[in-house]
Amino acid sequence: MSEAPPLEAGEVLLHHHRPDLAAFRHTALVLLAVTLVPTLAMVAAFPDSLWGAAPLFIACLLLMQERVTLGRHAAWITNRRILLQNAAPVALRNIATTNVVGNAVRLRTVDPARRVTLSYPSDKTALRDVIDTARQEAP
């Protein structure tokens, strides 16, 4: 989905968040590097079995699933709310905090049960700054 959803009257699009493939690749390489240690340990423990490849196989399955769903992490930041591609929009006045965690920007809302994560931004701090500025200027 590359088109912005319909905006309300007086609403202005400030930023279109698209997941960055380079950021995803970096996360994938880190996960694969971390998975090599248990894979080598399992191969050493069970040299005559295929169970040694299980940790690496599971990591590859997780990465493939995440890559397939990567396009579903888009979001549009306006002067009033954040429109998520596959979820209900979040009003800027309902956002309590914004944090950069790993390879994502996490938003904590006033409702503690709802957490929003904007995954794989090309520039995490810039995305957080856009959201914080929009929150301060929100009507």
Side-chain angles (χ1 to χ4, degrees):
M1 179 183 233
S2 61
E3 296 179 11
L7 302 177
E8 296 176 348
E11 200 169 22
V12 179
L13 184 65
L14 301 175
H15 181 72
H16 179 190
H17 163 66
R18 294 178 202 92
D20 186 32
L21 191 57
F24 172 76
R25 276 193 213 128
H26 176 72
T27 302
L29 288 174
V30 168
L31 178 65
L32 288 175
V34 168
T35 307
L36 283 177
V37 173
T39 300
L40 294 174
M42 297 256 320
V43 166
F46 305 106
D48 296 334
S49 173
L50 293 176
W51 284 106
L56 195 60
F57 179 74
I58 292 170
C60 288
L61 283 177
L62 291 172
L63 287 172
M64 188 171 8
Q65 177 209 6
E66 185 67 14
R67 176 61 184 99
V68 167
T69 61
L70 188 62
R72 298 182 192 156
H73 296 297
W76 293 266
I77 300 163
T78 69
N79 59 339
R80 294 186 185 165
R81 58 192 176 146
I82 297 176
L83 304 166
L84 303 169
Q85 185 170 352
N86 288 331
V90 178
L92 290 175
R93 65 180 176 273
N94 291 341
I95 297 174
T97 60
T98 57
N99 296 322
V100 174
V101 180
N103 213 357
V105 175
R106 289 199 182 145
L107 311 173
R108 287 193 176 211
T109 61
V110 176
D111 178 17
R114 180 149 190 218
R115 292 184 184 164
V116 177
T117 302
L118 302 175
S119 302
Y120 309 114
S122 56
D123 189 355
K124 301 173 282 235
T125 55
L127 180 61
R128 184 195 62 206
D129 292 343
V130 166
I131 294 170
D132 286 339
T133 303
R135 278 178 48 211
Q136 292 170 358
E137 302 295 325

